[in-house]
Amino acid sequence: MANSEVWLESLITATPQEGRALAIMMARKTIGAIQTDPEKRKQMRPEYADDTVQLTSSAQVVAIEFQTIAQANNYWKNEK
Amino acid sequence: MANSEVWLESLITATPQEGRALAIMMARKTIGAIQTDPEKRKQMRPEYADDTVQLTSSAQVVAIEFQTIAQANNYWKNEK
Amino acid sequence: MANSEVWLESLITATPQEGRALAIMMARKTIGAIQTDPEKRKQMRPEYADDTVQLTSSAQVVAIEFQTIAQANNYWKNEK
Amino acid sequence: MANSEVWLESLITATPQEGRALAIMMARKTIGAIQTDPEKRKQMRPEYADDTVQLTSSAQVVAIEFQTIAQANNYWKNEK
Amino acid sequence: MANSEVWLESLITATPQEGRALAIMMARKTIGAIQTDPEKRKQMRPEYADDTVQLTSSAQVVAIEFQTIAQANNYWKNEK
Amino acid sequence: MANSEVWLESLITATPQEGRALAIMMARKTIGAIQTDPEKRKQMRPEYADDTVQLTSSAQVVAIEFQTIAQANNYWKNEK
């Protein structure tokens, strides 16, 4: 927990769409926390984005992260 | 979050079926956010839709997204 | 959302077992929304139902859909 | 929904362990609803139970079903 | 439900860590309920524990079971 | 439950980001509880971190664990 970079200050976002962006960011940050070598992550990226199986699997992670974010924001029911 | 296109204004839909359509759209938009090249996505599509394993995997993503949408809409209990 | 066929009027069912039937239907309708060619879906079906990996994967989708339906019905606690 | 056999009268069970048994039953009934040929299901069974990947995948389905059942029973907090 | 051994008396545990242990136990008991032959389970074990794919898949089952247990225990908020 | 090391005292964390760190730790501890040989875990690690399929699968476990932690912390809504 002595990670110097603070990237997740809050789960609250202004709009649902910003919540989606946060969900994608959270999924990516997990990958970065497990595979810490940025060069390797770069090499992996094409492999990752060109494979439909992996794209769907990533979409599932994003869906779960978004569920948490949507609950935190009370589904943006009070937004205009 | 400087994405110019706003596609998710709200999680609220008039009916459960519109909620299903939104869940499918959300899953697709995630794919689009990871694989940003539309040409590649087009090539991937037949591969994707013809493989039962991947279809089931996609159905799982949609089920999770729909769970979030259904909660946001209080399961459409107040609708007629 | 201009889909002409309305197949999901409500998440409310009379009994838990009807909720299971709805969960299976929801999973199938998602497949139909992604693979829109009915001929291809027909060809896929044996492949699908004969493969235990895919059966288990489908059972997972149904479990998630049912979770949503059960919440919508307050777990049928008020039923007789 | 014209299925003659009623196997799911209620999500309420007397104990958590009976809830586990119900979760396993629900997972199995889904398989039966998709693969309706009992002979084929019988042939599949060894393949299914001898493969650790599939066992883990099944355990995941059971975990999700149990989550629903546990919520329905308010986690059996009022039981003795 | 005529299983003679009662192994799940309650979802309530004294601490979060005991909740983790229960989650792992629940996942294992499901495997045992599907593959009832203890000899076969023993043979499977090395295969299982040496394969990172399967380890991750098991970790997912445990995460879902723990979610249920944590809810049952109100996240151990009242504990000291 | 006679495990001597206490590593999970509480699900409460000061910030969302510490919640992410806890989620990753929980996922890792599960792996350690199943594959108890530290030498084997060490050998597995490169295999694990270099495979995008497994990275995504791990990200899914972390997403589920985080969901539980976020609920426990009421989504850190009261934090500054």
Side-chain angles (χ1 to χ4, degrees):
Chain A
M1 298 183 196
N3 199 315
S4 52
E5 182 204 8
V6 174
W7 60 268
L8 186 58
E9 297 257 357
S10 167
L11 296 176
I12 306 306
T13 67
T15 63
Q17 188 154 341
E18 285 186 23
R20 297 300 290 184
L22 179 57
I24 291 170
M25 207 247 278
M26 279 160 69
R28 283 190 175 142
K29 287 283 181 183
T30 307
I31 304 291
I34 302 170
Q35 177 46 272
T36 48
D37 182 340
E39 271 316 297
K40 284 203 174 163
R41 287 205 304 270
K42 227 176 188 168
Q43 285 166 23
M44 279 175 178
R45 193 152 170 86
E47 181 189 332
Y48 182 83
D50 293 357
D51 178 351
T52 57
V53 175
Q54 293 186 51
L55 277 172
T56 310
S57 185
S58 307
Q60 202 174 327
V61 180
V62 171
I64 297 167
E65 301 283 19
F66 183 71
Q67 200 165 62
T68 307
I69 295 165
Q71 286 162 351
N73 287 279
N74 195 26
Y75 307 98
W76 298 274
K77 280 184 187 173
N78 304 323
E79 92 187 283
K80 271 276 152 46
Chain B
M1 299 182 194
N3 200 314
S4 53
E5 182 204 8
V6 174
W7 60 268
L8 185 59
E9 297 258 356
S10 167
L11 295 176
I12 307 305
T13 68
T15 64
Q17 188 155 341
E18 286 187 23
R20 296 299 291 184
L22 180 57
I24 291 170
M25 207 247 278
M26 280 160 68
R28 282 189 177 143
K29 286 284 181 182
T30 306
I31 304 291
I34 302 170
Q35 177 46 272
T36 48
D37 182 339
E39 270 317 297
K40 285 202 173 162
R41 286 204 305 269
K42 227 176 188 168
Q43 286 167 23
M44 279 175 178
R45 194 154 168 86
E47 180 190 332
Y48 181 85
D50 292 358
D51 178 350
T52 56
V53 175
Q54 293 186 51
L55 277 172
T56 311
S57 186
S58 306
Q60 200 174 326
V61 180
V62 171
I64 297 167
E65 301 282 18
F66 182 71
Q67 200 165 60
T68 307
I69 295 166
Q71 286 162 351
N73 287 279
N74 195 26
Y75 306 99
W76 299 274
K77 280 185 187 172
N78 304 324
E79 91 186 287
K80 270 276 151 47
Chain C
M1 298 182 194
N3 199 315
S4 52
E5 182 204 8
V6 174
W7 60 269
L8 185 59
E9 297 257 356
S10 168
L11 296 177
I12 306 306
T13 69
T15 64
Q17 188 155 339
E18 286 187 23
R20 296 300 291 184
L22 179 57
I24 291 169
M25 207 247 278
M26 280 160 68
R28 281 189 177 143
K29 286 283 181 182
T30 306
I31 304 291
I34 302 170
Q35 177 47 272
T36 48
D37 182 339
E39 270 316 297
K40 285 203 173 162
R41 286 204 304 268
K42 227 176 188 169
Q43 286 166 22
M44 280 175 178
R45 198 161 162 82
E47 181 189 333
Y48 182 84
D50 293 357
D51 178 351
T52 56
V53 175
Q54 293 185 52
L55 276 172
T56 310
S57 185
S58 306
Q60 201 174 326
V61 180
V62 171
I64 297 168
E65 301 282 20
F66 182 70
Q67 199 165 61
T68 308
I69 295 165
Q71 286 162 350
N73 287 279
N74 195 26
Y75 307 99
W76 298 274
K77 280 185 189 172
N78 304 323
E79 90 186 287
K80 270 276 153 50
Chain D
M1 298 182 192
N3 199 315
S4 52
E5 182 204 8
V6 173
W7 59 269
L8 186 58
E9 297 258 358
S10 168
L11 296 177
I12 306 305
T13 68
T15 64
Q17 188 154 339
E18 285 187 24
R20 296 301 290 184
L22 180 57
I24 291 169
M25 207 247 278
M26 279 160 68
R28 282 190 176 141
K29 286 283 182 182
T30 306
I31 303 291
I34 302 170
Q35 176 48 272
T36 49
D37 182 339
E39 271 315 299
K40 284 203 173 161
R41 285 204 305 269
K42 226 176 189 169
Q43 286 166 22
M44 279 175 178
R45 197 157 164 82
E47 181 188 334
Y48 182 83
D50 293 357
D51 178 351
T52 56
V53 175
Q54 292 185 51
L55 277 172
T56 310
S57 185
S58 306
Q60 201 173 325
V61 180
V62 171
I64 297 168
E65 300 283 19
F66 182 71
Q67 200 165 61
T68 308
I69 294 165
Q71 286 162 349
N73 287 279
N74 194 27
Y75 307 99
W76 298 274
K77 279 184 189 173
N78 304 324
E79 88 186 289
K80 272 274 155 49
Chain E
M1 299 185 194
N3 199 315
S4 51
E5 182 204 8
V6 173
W7 59 268
L8 185 58
E9 297 258 357
S10 167
L11 295 177
I12 306 305
T13 69
T15 64
Q17 188 155 338
E18 286 186 22
R20 295 302 291 184
L22 180 57
I24 290 170
M25 207 248 278
M26 279 160 69
R28 283 190 176 141
K29 287 284 182 182
T30 307
I31 304 291
I34 302 170
Q35 176 47 271
T36 48
D37 182 339
E39 271 316 299
K40 284 204 174 163
R41 286 205 304 269
K42 227 176 189 169
Q43 285 165 23
M44 279 176 178
R45 196 156 164 82
E47 180 189 334
Y48 182 83
D50 293 357
D51 178 350
T52 56
V53 175
Q54 292 185 51
L55 277 173
T56 310
S57 185
S58 306
Q60 201 173 326
V61 180
V62 171
I64 298 168
E65 301 282 19
F66 182 71
Q67 200 164 61
T68 308
I69 295 165
Q71 286 162 351
N73 287 279
N74 195 26
Y75 307 99
W76 298 273
K77 279 185 188 173
N78 304 323
E79 90 187 286
K80 271 275 155 48
Chain F
M1 298 184 194
N3 198 315
S4 52
E5 182 204 9
V6 174
W7 60 268
L8 185 58
E9 298 258 356
S10 167
L11 296 176
I12 306 306
T13 68
T15 64
Q17 188 155 339
E18 285 187 23
R20 296 300 291 183
L22 180 57
I24 291 170
M25 207 247 277
M26 280 160 68
R28 284 191 175 142
K29 287 284 182 183
T30 306
I31 303 291
I34 302 171
Q35 176 47 272
T36 48
D37 183 339
E39 270 316 299
K40 284 204 174 163
R41 286 205 304 270
K42 226 176 189 168
Q43 285 165 23
M44 279 176 178
R45 194 152 167 84
E47 181 189 332
Y48 182 83
D50 293 357
D51 178 351
T52 56
V53 175
Q54 294 185 51
L55 277 172
T56 311
S57 185
S58 306
Q60 201 174 326
V61 179
V62 171
I64 297 167
E65 302 282 19
F66 182 71
Q67 201 165 61
T68 308
I69 295 165
Q71 286 162 351
N73 287 279
N74 195 26
Y75 306 99
W76 298 274
K77 280 185 187 172
N78 304 324
E79 91 187 284
K80 271 275 154 45

